Amino acid sequence: MKLNTSNLSKIASLAKIITPNYDRDQVRQGIVHIGVGGFHRAHLALYIEKLLNLGANQDWGICGVGLLAQDSAMQQMLVEQDFLYTLVELQDTDDTETQIIGSIGDFILADQEKNRLIDKLLSDDTKIVSLTITEGGYCIDDSTGEFDPSIAQIQQDLNNPQNPNTIFGYLTLALKKRKEAGQKAFTIMSCDNLPHNGDITKKVLLSFSRLIDPQLSEWIAHNVSFPNSMVDRITPATSADHKRFLLEKTGIEDSWPVVCEPFTQWVVEDNFCNGRPDFEKVGVQFTDNVGAFEAMKIGLLNGSHLMLACTGILLGYEFAHQTMQDSSLRRYVRQFMDNDVTPRLDEIVGVDFEEYKNTLIFRFANVEICDQLLRIASDSCAKYPKFILPTLQWLIAHNKPLDRIALMTAAWIKCVTGALNGDTAIPNIVDPKQDVLVQAVSKDSKTVENFLAIEDVFGSHIAQNPQFVELVTLKLEQIETLGMKEALVLTVSC
């Protein structure tokens, strides 16, 4: 059965398939979401779906938006399936849960429907604009923590604010028009893995809009809300095997289903300027202490993810669960959690760090997820400053051992040099700044020094730390002479 509205009643009759129990035609789109990928469809869209299935919050459906030309594939799939898709929660038991999600009701492809997107942002129905634009999409110079207006696309929007192409250009134009029309502003809610993601979104938008219209920037500062949030759910890229699994298990033919782990968490500030869904009814946690949750999750989960990905790739592994089956690598990750990250975290009332870390190891080991290491390691230039660098800086400041992060950094360098030298045994890690990485490692013989001197990734002080430079150099030599496995064993035995 192809997934579409006409087949929905047949699908609903299948055992263990959850389908929308509400009238989708009556749902208004109060949320415009920028960046509809797997994570959004497994997280925010699911929370809205749960609310709609409770028979409430009919004003909070979702209109998806794609800013990139390649987003046309997502739009085409959603249109062909009447904006329905399948969400499959995979686990190591027979309790796999399959649900048809209908909370997305429309999709706008910005480069082809610019006016329709602007009209949508101006609609009185639109009360929240949410974002999953990746860690690198916020135009922040990681060496300074400030907005970087020199980016070519940003310059284009600054010079032509009536014809935007970036998310911050669209938001600024829409808010300007809402201000002029006397409309209420909308909340801008980041759902990306960034420390203080709401604060960063606010900083970038205020900086961008100030360069266009200082008075508008002031109005945005006083009228738009930017809640900080912590989002968590492991969602691998959908593969042909996932589609085949769904078809064989249920008979449902879905062009782009989403697979994810059973675990999901969302902690958010209750800071919305134009109303919000009743998220608390479906498990969202509201708190004034999002920062502590963010530091815990980004340090322990995202940091560990990047650590196991870069080292696991050199060990020849393809998926995250394989790294947890390697006793040395599993020990390495747990040592990083226990000795490097946990000591710098603030206590959180009601949260047991030991239990949380045990849960993470269990989640990483989920065989059914098959989370690709290349997906986890992709865009490392944007991830390292957020997920690893704060821990590294804390360790240096407190004179703690740096061996584990040095090994991961050396493994990353080896991945870059391996791809550069055409080593087919080392798969290429996709990174928008690949040219910068390659240039650093091919300058001269000082590979480590040049690599650590990339300020966008490491800041201005890491390359000046002789202990870390020496350790990364040593770990890289061990990887190249003894092999990754022996270098790992030596590190966990320190």
Side-chain angles (χ1 to χ4, degrees):
M1 283 183 295
K2 286 188 176 294
L3 178 57
N4 53 43
T5 300
S6 61
N7 284 332
L8 202 53
S9 60
K10 297 177 186 177
I11 294 172
S13 67
L14 299 174
K16 295 185 178 180
I17 306 291
I18 303 171
T19 57
N21 64 11
Y22 54 91
D23 185 349
R24 296 181 73 216
D25 291 334
Q26 298 302 310
V27 177
R28 302 171 71 90
Q29 293 156 14
I31 300 173
V32 174
H33 183 81
I34 315 295
V36 178
F39 180 77
H40 166 69
R41 294 192 291 147
H43 201 259
L44 173 56
L46 173 63
Y47 283 103
I48 295 297
E49 181 74 9
K50 288 181 177 181
L51 283 171
L52 293 172
N53 278 330
L54 290 177
N57 289 246
Q58 302 296 303
D59 293 337
W60 294 105
I62 300 168
C63 173
V65 174
L67 293 181
L68 307 175
Q70 56 262 38
D71 291 328
S72 60
M74 180 66 71
Q75 182 193 51
Q76 181 180 350
M77 177 278 295
L78 288 170
V79 169
E80 290 176 351
Q81 297 184 174
D82 300 324
F83 300 98
L84 296 167
Y85 66 91
T86 314
L87 179 65
V88 184
E89 295 182 0
L90 295 172
Q91 47 192 320
D92 295 337
T93 69
D94 294 330
D95 296 330
T96 296
E97 182 173 285
T98 305
Q99 180 169 0
I100 306 301
I101 307 294
S103 56
I104 298 176
D106 197 1
F107 190 101
I108 299 173
L109 195 61
D111 68 343
Q112 297 179 16
E113 306 173 286
K114 185 164 295 190
N115 290 334
R116 192 161 83 91
L117 173 54
I118 293 171
D119 288 344
K120 192 69 178 179
L121 293 172
L122 294 178
S123 169
D124 286 333
D125 286 344
T126 300
K127 295 177 170 59
I128 295 174
V129 177
S130 52
L131 313 173
T132 46
I133 57 176
T134 76
E135 297 82 8
Y138 288 81
C139 307
I140 289 287
D141 182 340
D142 287 307
S143 64
T144 64
E146 299 300 322
F147 169 63
D148 182 2
S150 67
I151 297 170
Q153 285 185 309
I154 294 293
Q155 280 293 309
Q156 182 180 353
D157 278 9
L158 290 173
N159 293 326
N160 193 8
Q162 298 300 316
N163 185 29
N165 290 288
T166 70
I167 177 55
F168 299 106
Y170 277 110
L171 291 174
T172 298
L173 178 59
L175 288 167
K176 177 181 176 63
K177 289 179 176 294
R178 288 180 80 115
K179 173 180 178 288
E180 292 171 348
Q183 286 178 278
K184 199 167 186 179
F186 44 66
T187 295
I188 301 175
M189 179 175 68
S190 171
C191 298
D192 279 302
N193 283 317
L194 292 169
H196 313 293
N197 53 14
D199 294 339
I200 287 177
T201 308
K202 181 176 182 178
K203 173 188 286 189
V204 172
L205 186 59
L206 292 182
S207 298
F208 178 92
S209 60
R210 190 177 299 117
L211 294 173
I212 295 175
D213 183 342
Q215 289 185 334
L216 172 63
S217 182
E218 189 71 17
W219 182 86
I220 291 172
H222 288 94
N223 290 275
V224 179
S225 295
F226 301 84
N228 289 301
S229 68
M230 183 274 274
V231 295
D232 189 3
R233 185 166 226 187
I234 295 174
T235 309
T238 304
S239 68
D241 287 340
H242 292 140
K243 297 177 187 178
R244 188 163 44 250
F245 170 83
L246 176 65
L247 184 61
E248 293 174 354
K249 182 177 176 61
T250 66
I252 298 172
E253 184 180 340
D254 187 335
S255 298
W256 205 334
V258 184
V259 297
C260 60
E261 64 172 338
F263 180 92
T264 182
Q265 187 177 23
W266 190 7
V267 182
V268 62
E269 289 177 337
D270 198 354
N271 177 24
F272 295 77
C273 64
N274 199 356
R276 65 166 176 81
D278 297 324
F279 285 130
E280 64 273 20
K281 292 182 178 179
V282 288
V284 177
Q285 300 169 255
F286 285 99
T287 180
D288 294 329
N289 191 27
V290 172
F293 283 92
E294 288 175 335
M296 175 187 74
K297 185 259 180 177
I298 289 174
L300 291 174
L301 189 155
N302 298 112
S304 297
H305 242 180
L306 202 55
M307 296 281 284
L308 67 84
C310 290
T311 51
I313 286 170
L314 287 186
L315 288 167
Y317 298 132
E318 183 178 0
F319 302 112
H321 70 266
Q322 295 171 324
T323 69
M324 293 296 96
Q325 294 167 354
D326 183 314
S327 59
S328 295
L329 191 45
R330 184 176 179 132
R331 183 181 173 193
Y332 169 73
V333 170
R334 188 59 192 241
Q335 285 180 349
F336 171 73
M337 290 181 180
D338 291 342
N339 301 332
D340 299 342
V341 181
T342 302
R344 74 176 185 85
L345 299 177
D346 294 330
E347 291 186 12
I348 305 174
V349 176
V351 175
D352 184 329
F353 287 152
E354 291 304 305
E355 181 181 348
Y356 182 75
K357 289 181 286 189
N358 291 338
T359 300
L360 289 181
I361 296 295
F362 177 79
R363 292 166 63 191
F364 294 163
N366 187 337
V367 175
E368 300 300 325
I369 289 293
C370 290
D371 198 4
Q372 305 92 337
L373 296 183
L374 285 176
R375 180 198 74 84
I376 298 169
S378 66
D379 202 6
S380 290
C381 281
K383 292 176 179 176
Y384 193 105
K386 283 86 171 177
F387 303 165
I388 301 294
L389 189 58
T391 297
L392 175 58
Q393 290 170 329
W394 186 92
L395 293 172
I396 291 173
H398 291 80
N399 197 29
K400 301 291 185 180
L402 310 176
D403 301 74
R404 284 170 287 273
I405 293 181
L407 178 67
M408 173 266 164
T409 307
W412 183 17
I413 294 173
K414 182 61 178 176
C415 287
V416 174
T417 58
L420 178 64
N421 296 327
D423 189 337
T424 57
I426 302 176
N428 184 44
I429 298 174
V430 175
D431 198 304
K433 293 186 176 180
Q434 186 72 11
D435 291 345
V436 175
L437 299 176
V438 170
Q439 183 180 9
V441 300
S442 57
K443 278 182 179 179
D444 52 44
S445 60
K446 295 184 178 181
T447 300
V448 171
E449 289 89 337
N450 293 333
F451 198 83
L452 297 181
I454 304 173
E455 289 195 12
D456 286 352
V457 178
F458 300 98
S460 58
H461 301 298
I462 298 302
Q464 309 304 319
N465 184 279
Q467 181 188 5
F468 190 66
V469 173
E470 183 179 337
L471 273 172
V472 175
T473 303
L474 173 62
K475 298 300 179 184
L476 184 59
E477 290 174 355
Q478 291 175 346
I479 292 171
E480 293 179 337
T481 58
L482 303 175
M484 185 66 219
K485 187 174 184 62
E486 185 61 27
L488 176 63
V489 171
L490 291 172
T491 300
V492 298
S493 300
C494 290

